Amino acid sequence: MKNYELTVVFHPDLEMNLAPSIEKVHQLIESAGGTITKEVNDGKKRLAYSLAGQDYGIYYYIDVALPTDAPDKISGAFNISSEVIRYLLVTVDPKRAKLAAARAEA
């Protein structure tokens, strides 16, 4: 299993009822065989430029551990979702993760 950082920008109209959308993301990750290690809801922010006709988006960050075939499954599901404006799934550099952990302890 490899560590990833997943950033999801949800449609701003979901601000009042975001829980079902987040639960769908959790189910998607778990069905792909992944585990969630950390989550951060960063709230509604103004976008740098308009995406899908929207000027605002709700940012949600998730640290996950995924098997090798899971990123393709997750990307496919997000591409057809109307709730997700944009997403970014990147691998975590192991050296940088160790450095961040050492800094957190100090």
Side-chain angles (χ1 to χ4, degrees), residues 1-101:
M1 297 251 273
K2 212 170 179 185
N3 291 327
Y4 293 87
E5 291 178 354
L6 174 63
T7 303
V8 182
V9 181
F10 288 104
H11 198 280
D13 293 343
L14 299 173
E15 184 177 22
M16 299 307 273
N17 196 14
L18 190 60
S21 300
I22 293 172
E23 184 60 34
K24 286 180 186 178
V25 172
H26 285 206
Q27 289 174 356
L28 178 64
I29 291 169
E30 291 170 2
S31 69
T35 56
I36 298 170
T37 56
K38 182 181 169 185
E39 299 178 64
V40 177
N41 183 351
D42 213 16
K44 188 175 182 179
K45 292 185 177 183
R46 185 168 178 78
L47 301 172
Y49 53 91
S50 184
L51 292 173
Q54 300 297 320
D55 293 327
Y56 290 89
I58 301 168
Y59 282 77
Y60 201 78
Y61 303 102
I62 307 171
D63 289 343
V64 294
L66 298 172
T68 56
D69 61 339
D72 292 334
K73 293 177 185 176
I74 291 171
S75 295
F78 283 152
N79 284 335
I80 60 172
S81 174
S82 62
E83 299 169 342
V84 175
I85 296 176
R86 192 77 89 214
Y87 70 94
L88 179 66
L89 182 65
V90 295
T91 60
V92 176
D93 183 20
K95 292 178 185 176
R96 191 171 202 167
K98 287 180 185 178
L99 180 62

